[in-house]
């Protein structure tokens, strides 16, 4: 039973709140259709790739598509929790968030079906560190919100989803993909879709840093410690996923590259991604609540 209808009450919608601004941006920039992307040249290009190039791309697509499916499934408990708390502006944005994750999954599915054409089981490219994050840690953190809406549970869920999965793993993967595949001068449809996808992800990550800042301001430095502890738990798994489970130093010294991108560069990019967002969260400990709730969108590193 609800006690009021916010949109017609004296408070109305708070159109100055950051999540509402993200909602407006999502309507403007997020309405792209995976079915509109032309894969005709990609099909031709695919036949010109070496077997090694095809395998490298399939490894990345297996991780991208698997990640997009996971985050599509796992987001719903957060949406329901925010709705239960009566945060209407945040819920409005999260409806676009979930829609976009589903589109990302559709995009990679189209590429596999219409360009690759093979029905092989690509989950064999999910290494143990990847599985630990996407098969265990992410769903567990998000599903916990169904029965535990504590600030600590919210912080762990958002840190896992927004800071680590999206902010580190996905962004690092797209960085490597662009740096490597972009140099081939091929697969224009795939690159176009990933460019659009990255714009969506920048809003997702921005919402996550907003949510974590809000939790820090509402519940104190204890939440900041929860966030950093969770990051410390997951970062070794991130490194294992990026380096395919090998010791980073050995992996780098062996000269192994992904699409011609040195894994040392990938690890440095991942660390930079995390440090940028930790700096944002540190500011939440210094700013007042109003500044946090109306914070401007943070750019995602390219």
């Amino acid at each position: 039973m609800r006690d009021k209808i916010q949109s017609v009450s004296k408070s109305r919608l708070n159109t100055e709140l950051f999540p509402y601004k993200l909602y407006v941006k999502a309507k403007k920039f997020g309405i792209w259709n995976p079915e509109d992307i032309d894969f005709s040249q990609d099909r031709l290009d695919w036949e010109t790739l070496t077997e090694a190039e095809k395998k490298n791309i399939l490894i990345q697509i297996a991780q991208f598509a698997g990640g997009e499916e996971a985050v599509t499934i796992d987001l719903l408990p957060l949406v329901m929790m925010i709705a239960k708390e009566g945060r209407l502006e945040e819920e409005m944005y999260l409806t676009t968030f979930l829609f976009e994750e589903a589109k990302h999954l559709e995009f990679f599915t189209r590429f596999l079906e219409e360009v690759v054409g093979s029905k092989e089981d690509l989950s064999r490219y999910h290494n143990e560190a990847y599985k630990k994050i996407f098969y265990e840690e992410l769903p567990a953190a998000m599903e916990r919100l169904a029965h535990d809406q504590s600030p600590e549970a919210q912080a762990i869920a958002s840190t896992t989803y927004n800071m680590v999965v999206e902010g580190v793993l996905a962004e690092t993967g797209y960085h490597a993909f662009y740096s490597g595949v972009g140099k081939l001068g091929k697969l224009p449809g795939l690159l176009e879709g990933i460019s659009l996808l990255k714009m969506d992800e920048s809003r997702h990550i921005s919402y996550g840093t907003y949510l974590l800042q809000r939790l820090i301001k509402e519940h104190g430095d204890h939440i900041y410690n929860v966030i950093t502890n969770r990051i410390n738990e997951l970062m070794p798994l991130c490194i294992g996923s990026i380096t395919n489970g090998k010791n980073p130093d050995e992996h780098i010294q062996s000269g192994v590259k992904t699409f011609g991108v040195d894994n040392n560069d990938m690890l440095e990019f991942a660390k930079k991604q995390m440090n940028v967002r930790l700096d944002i969260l540190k500011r939440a400990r210094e700013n007042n609540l109003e500044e946090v709730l109306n914070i401007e969108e943070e750019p995602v590193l390219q």
Side-chain angles (χ1 to χ4, degrees):
M1 181 175 179
R2 60 174 56 90
D3 58 1
K4 71 172 183 178
I5 300 292
Q6 179 180 329
S7 60
V8 293
S9 69
K10 289 183 178 180
S11 60
R12 299 287 199 272
L13 286 175
N14 184 351
T15 59
E16 295 302 313
L17 203 60
F18 180 61
Y20 190 88
K21 293 178 180 179
L22 286 178
Y23 168 72
V24 172
K25 287 189 175 184
K27 290 188 297 176
K28 183 175 181 180
F29 301 111
I31 308 303
W32 58 276
N33 186 351
E35 292 182 351
D36 292 338
I37 293 177
D38 183 1
F39 282 134
S40 58
Q41 184 60 49
D42 295 59
R43 284 191 287 272
L44 297 174
D45 289 343
W46 186 256
E47 298 305 318
T48 70
L49 299 177
T50 67
E51 289 305 311
E53 288 170 336
K54 288 180 179 179
K55 181 178 179 180
N56 265 334
I57 291 171
L58 287 176
I59 289 172
Q60 291 298 308
I61 297 296
Q63 294 179 348
F64 290 153
E68 296 295 352
E69 177 181 337
V71 293
T72 300
I73 293 171
D74 295 333
L75 183 61
L76 192 55
L78 176 63
V79 181
M80 295 176 67
M81 183 209 71
I82 291 296
K84 186 180 292 186
E85 290 188 346
R87 300 183 186 276
L88 182 57
E89 296 84 0
E90 292 190 40
E91 184 186 358
M92 290 175 71
Y93 170 64
L94 287 172
T95 63
T96 73
F97 195 139
L98 182 55
F99 171 60
E100 288 165 355
E101 298 291 26
K103 284 197 309 178
H104 300 169
L105 175 58
E106 176 191 357
F107 167 72
F108 287 119
T109 299
R110 271 200 68 213
F111 181 83
L112 288 173
E113 292 181 348
E114 299 179 25
V115 177
V116 178
S118 171
K119 294 293 185 180
E120 67 173 303
D121 183 0
L122 299 181
S123 65
R124 64 194 179 95
Y125 294 129
H126 294 170
N127 65 39
E128 291 306 310
Y130 180 98
K131 288 181 179 179
K132 182 68 176 178
I133 293 173
F134 286 96
Y135 291 39
E136 299 179 31
E137 294 292 344
L138 178 64
M142 301 305 290
E143 289 169 11
R144 176 181 172 184
L145 296 177
H147 58 83
D148 180 2
Q149 291 90 44
S150 66
E152 293 79 9
Q154 293 184 42
I156 289 172
S158 183
T159 301
T160 305
Y161 192 118
N162 304 113
M163 294 281 284
V164 174
V165 168
E166 292 188 312
V168 174
L169 286 178
E171 287 297 310
T172 301
Y174 295 137
H175 167 72
F177 201 84
Y178 257 108
S179 299
V181 175
K183 295 176 182 177
L184 294 176
K186 299 180 180 182
L187 305 173
L190 181 58
L191 292 173
E192 177 190 355
I194 288 180
S195 177
L196 293 166
L197 191 152
K198 278 172 58 64
M199 291 175 63
D200 295 344
E201 296 288 359
S202 70
R203 293 188 296 274
H204 301 178
I205 296 166
S206 292
Y207 173 77
T209 55
Y210 162 85
L211 173 57
L212 292 173
Q213 287 179 90
R214 174 167 65 72
L215 290 170
I216 291 170
K217 294 310 297 185
E218 291 174 346
H219 303 285
D221 278 357
H222 163 62
I223 296 299
Y224 180 81
N225 294 331
V226 170
I227 294 166
T228 54
N229 287 340
R230 182 59 170 168
I231 289 170
N232 289 334
E233 289 175 357
L234 295 179
M235 282 307 289
L237 294 175
C238 288
I239 293 172
S241 181
I242 292 169
T243 63
N244 200 28
K246 298 180 181 179
N247 178 285
D249 292 332
E250 294 177 358
H251 196 65
I252 292 162
Q253 291 170 7
S254 72
V256 175
K257 299 175 183 290
T258 301
F259 302 125
V261 180
D262 194 299
N263 281 277
N264 189 33
D265 293 337
M266 292 173 63
L267 289 173
E268 287 303 312
F269 183 87
K271 292 174 184 177
K272 187 182 293 185
Q273 290 288 95
M274 182 55 69
N275 288 335
V276 165
R277 292 182 180 91
L278 282 174
D279 287 343
I280 295 170
L281 297 183
K282 288 176 184 176
R283 296 207 301 265
R285 306 165 77 184
E286 303 167 357
N287 297 341
N288 60 44
L289 185 58
E290 182 178 355
E291 289 173 322
V292 170
L293 296 185
N294 291 285
I295 189 169
E296 290 300 315
E297 187 172 0
E298 294 288 343
V300 174
L301 296 177
Q302 300 298 320

